[in-house]
Amino acid sequence: MYKNLTSLIQKPLTFLFNRTIKSLVLPDQKSKRKSKKQQGLSALDELLFRYTKPDQQFLDARYGYNAQFIVYETNTNYCDQSKSYSDENNERQQKNYKSIVLPLIMIYGCHLYMNEETKCFFGSSSLKKNQLDQRVVLLQYAANNPIEDRYKVNQLKNINGYAVSVFDGHGGWQLAELAMNILHEKIDYYVLQNQNKILNQDDLIQQSISQAYSDVEEEFYKVALQAYNMGFPSVARVGSCALTAVIVGNKVYSANLGDSKGIIVNVNTKANEKAYKKINHTLNANSKKEQMRLKSIFSDDDIVVCKRGNKSCYVKGRLQPTRSLGDFRLKFQEFNNPKNVTEDKGYLKSISNFQGPYIISTPDQKAFEIQKGDRYLVLGSDGLWDELSKSEISKIVQKNQNNKDEIIKQIFEESLSHAAKTNKMTDEDIRKIPLGKRRKLHDDITVIVVDLQGQV
């Protein structure tokens, strides 16, 4: 049977595989004891591992490192990237950076989003307009095993600016991984393609972002459909929220799918004045605005199902985000068990009278002018905002406005402290809970802090 299956599917997948498909199919089909959630993910892991050429962050997440503290820097010699910052070298590096290493978290050397130009640097210097160097600090803390959050920070090549993104995966990390690897590259590509056709900067950037998001969705569709048709149904439930901010001059352009959030914090506000402005709206089924939008489209359908006294609402009773990448079971009939395969093989009961797509992958976009006193941009996956409010985070930023390392340290410590109190635990005890098990206490947490000084 396996030999016939291999011969049938090997040819259309040659662009993804360097080895025979047999090594992909056999491992998952041998084990019938896997949970429904696990079925198919190893196949998709394999597809994406070859397709996206995972980098250091993938390996960190894959093998369960607990946290990362990142400072993006390109033009210094403080950290020699040719050397390994692990094992014997790690002790030396941790001593050098002792003043900023977060307590009770294991830091494995310089875990950065690696590319040929990136180097690690802890310090301060003047910031240059539209240049990313030394503007960004980022911290990521895992709850899932492996972590499902991803992030991307990079300097754009085809326009004078930079981009940061948070990707919050669900049902698996695979789509967040793909988005991390190609979304910013696609934005940069479309800026170049569109710049002679679209002269208005706002339109140019927003159109390019929209096209880039569409490409990520299409790329994942091609991979997921093949895995689904091979008999791996879990790929239909893999998705990702995404929040992107592109900074060019005195403008912040945001694009959002789902429930990650971002704020711009003004450090010059007076007492009793709101110190922040939101760069996006939460797009999930708890939002009254999103409920109204969905009900206007699907007026004859039970489109929003709420539980726990209307506190937790879901699209078709299945998913909270109303916009996301992936989640093809709620978008396309071909992922809706069209052959009515039995549930004992991992397939869920098909949605009757399917009228999808019930959710969309078109990001909600906004543009903001950076005002005097707008000093920091803070982006986070919903694991952060589950624990701290926008007001609480803005107070931390204002209190430590001249030290972004301290800002992110306090944001993290207070978010974990809140999770501990919610679960009637001490701060120390909640950190001791193993990966995977701690997901019952709090979500994956990704925080990006961008210093906007000098952009106006």
Side-chain angles (χ1 to χ4, degrees):
M1 180 180 72
Y2 294 132
K3 184 176 181 181
N4 292 336
L5 178 60
T6 299
S7 64
L8 284 173
I9 64 178
Q10 190 172 16
K11 187 175 180 179
L13 292 178
T14 51
F15 72 102
L16 286 174
F17 293 94
N18 297 320
R19 300 196 299 266
T20 175
I21 195 68
K22 187 175 181 179
S23 64
L24 171 62
V25 176
L26 287 178
D28 253 28
Q29 295 198 350
K30 275 195 286 187
S31 175
K32 296 183 179 180
R33 292 177 292 179
K34 289 188 175 183
S35 68
K36 292 179 181 178
K37 183 176 181 180
Q38 289 174 311
Q39 282 187 346
L41 292 187
S42 63
L44 192 60
D45 292 357
E46 188 75 13
L47 285 163
L48 289 177
F49 190 94
R50 298 159 191 267
Y51 186 58
T52 62
K53 299 179 181 178
D55 58 15
Q56 181 66 47
Q57 188 192 15
F58 166 84
L59 298 175
D60 289 353
R62 180 83 172 189
Y63 297 109
Y65 293 149
N66 287 347
Q68 301 178 83
F69 186 88
I70 294 92
V71 176
Y72 186 98
E73 173 61 29
T74 63
N75 294 325
T76 68
N77 296 316
Y78 282 78
C79 185
D80 186 346
Q81 197 171 312
S82 66
K83 297 179 182 178
S84 171
Y85 290 98
S86 59
D87 301 327
E88 68 275 4
N89 287 328
N90 189 50
E91 182 179 354
R92 174 176 60 84
Q93 292 300 320
Q94 288 199 18
K95 285 181 180 179
N96 290 345
Y97 308 144
K98 186 176 180 181
S99 62
I100 60 87
V101 171
L102 302 181
L104 302 175
I105 303 175
M106 298 184 71
I107 303 293
Y108 287 75
C110 302
H111 285 292
L112 298 166
Y113 182 81
M114 302 300 288
N115 57 44
E116 292 182 356
E117 297 179 343
T118 304
K119 297 184 184 297
C120 54
F121 174 82
F122 298 93
S124 61
S125 70
S126 59
L127 302 177
K128 297 180 181 179
K129 185 174 182 179
N130 294 324
Q131 297 300 305
L132 188 59
D133 295 352
Q134 303 176 51
R135 287 188 180 277
V136 175
V137 290
L138 183 149
L139 187 142
Q140 190 170 64
Y141 189 76
N144 287 293
N145 187 15
I147 188 171
E148 294 181 336
D149 280 6
R150 293 292 187 274
Y151 62 85
K152 184 66 179 284
V153 177
N154 76 303
Q155 188 76 41
L156 298 174
K157 298 177 181 178
N158 297 318
I159 194 168
N160 200 9
Y162 48 93
V164 297
S165 289
V166 173
F167 307 103
D168 184 356
H170 48 262
W173 51 265
Q174 293 83 0
L175 182 44
E177 173 78 20
L178 177 63
M180 178 190 74
N181 276 280
I182 70 173
L183 179 67
H184 286 196
E185 183 179 288
K186 293 282 188 179
I187 293 172
D188 222 0
Y189 168 80
Y190 282 115
V191 166
L192 181 62
Q193 295 298 307
N194 294 330
Q195 60 186 3
N196 292 328
K197 297 178 288 185
I198 305 175
L199 301 182
N200 179 275
Q201 177 179 286
D202 291 3
D203 294 340
L204 170 64
I205 293 173
Q206 292 181 326
Q207 175 65 22
S208 299
I209 291 173
S210 181
Q211 290 173 284
Y213 267 84
S214 179
D215 275 10
V216 175
E217 179 89 341
E218 290 178 12
E219 294 291 349
F220 190 73
Y221 177 90
K222 291 186 293 187
V223 176
L225 185 61
Q226 292 174 75
Y228 191 84
N229 290 336
M230 286 162 56
F232 299 103
S234 291
V235 301
R237 303 191 294 278
V238 175
S240 181
C241 299
L243 176 60
T244 296
V246 173
I247 297 89
V248 177
N250 68 334
K251 288 283 190 74
V252 174
Y253 300 89
S254 71
N256 181 51
L257 297 173
D259 51 18
S260 295
K261 299 176 186 176
I263 58 174
I264 296 173
V265 181
N266 191 296
V267 297
N268 291 346
T269 54
K270 299 177 181 178
N272 300 321
E273 289 183 352
K274 189 170 75 172
Y276 67 88
K277 55 188 173 187
K278 300 187 297 184
I279 68 166
N280 68 295
H281 293 298
T282 302
L283 301 173
N284 66 25
N286 291 333
S287 163
K288 298 299 181 184
K289 185 176 180 180
E290 284 296 280
Q291 288 182 13
M292 292 175 61
R293 181 182 68 82
L294 287 169
K295 289 176 181 178
S296 68
I297 299 171
F298 303 98
S299 56
D300 298 328
D301 202 336
D302 191 15
I303 184 65
V304 177
V305 178
C306 295
K307 306 173 183 178
R308 296 172 53 204
N310 293 332
K311 291 183 178 179
S312 298
C313 300
Y314 302 82
V315 179
K316 297 296 289 183
R318 291 165 172 83
L319 184 72
Q320 281 202 325
T322 53
R323 303 193 193 194
S324 72
L325 295 165
D327 295 305
F328 292 140
R329 183 166 180 257
L330 289 170
K331 292 178 179 176
F332 306 114
Q333 177 64 23
E334 52 266 42
F335 290 90
N336 187 40
N337 194 7
K339 297 180 180 179
N340 291 316
V341 182
T342 55
E343 291 187 41
D344 64 328
K345 295 184 178 179
Y347 289 83
L348 297 181
K349 185 179 179 181
S350 60
I351 299 171
S352 60
N353 300 316
F354 188 86
Q355 300 178 46
Y358 298 106
I359 61 174
I360 59 177
S361 60
T362 304
D364 181 42
Q365 296 200 57
K366 301 185 183 302
F368 302 87
E369 285 193 11
I370 301 173
Q371 306 294 327
K372 185 177 180 180
D374 287 347
R375 178 66 188 274
Y376 289 100
L377 171 65
V378 181
L379 272 65
S381 58
D382 70 335
L384 170 67
W385 307 101
D386 286 345
E387 310 302 337
L388 295 179
S389 69
K390 302 177 189 71
S391 178
E392 288 171 324
I393 288 177
S394 67
K395 288 178 181 177
I396 293 172
V397 171
Q398 287 188 307
K399 182 180 177 181
N400 302 281
Q401 59 185 270
N402 295 317
N403 188 339
K404 56 182 172 288
D405 298 344
E406 189 64 25
I407 289 172
I408 204 164
K409 173 182 174 181
Q410 288 194 19
I411 287 174
F412 172 74
E413 289 179 339
E414 291 195 21
S415 64
L416 260 290
S417 181
H418 182 271
K421 290 176 182 177
T422 301
N423 292 282
K424 299 180 180 179
M425 301 174 69
T426 66
D427 293 5
E428 183 177 356
D429 285 341
I430 199 170
R431 288 173 166 90
K432 294 178 182 178
I433 304 298
L435 284 169
K437 290 184 178 181
R438 72 172 70 140
R439 179 60 184 88
K440 296 179 180 179
L441 308 177
H442 64 84
D443 202 350
D444 297 329
I445 298 173
T446 298
V447 191
I448 301 177
V449 176
V450 184
D451 191 340
L452 298 174
Q453 187 177 23
Q455 285 297 137
V456 178

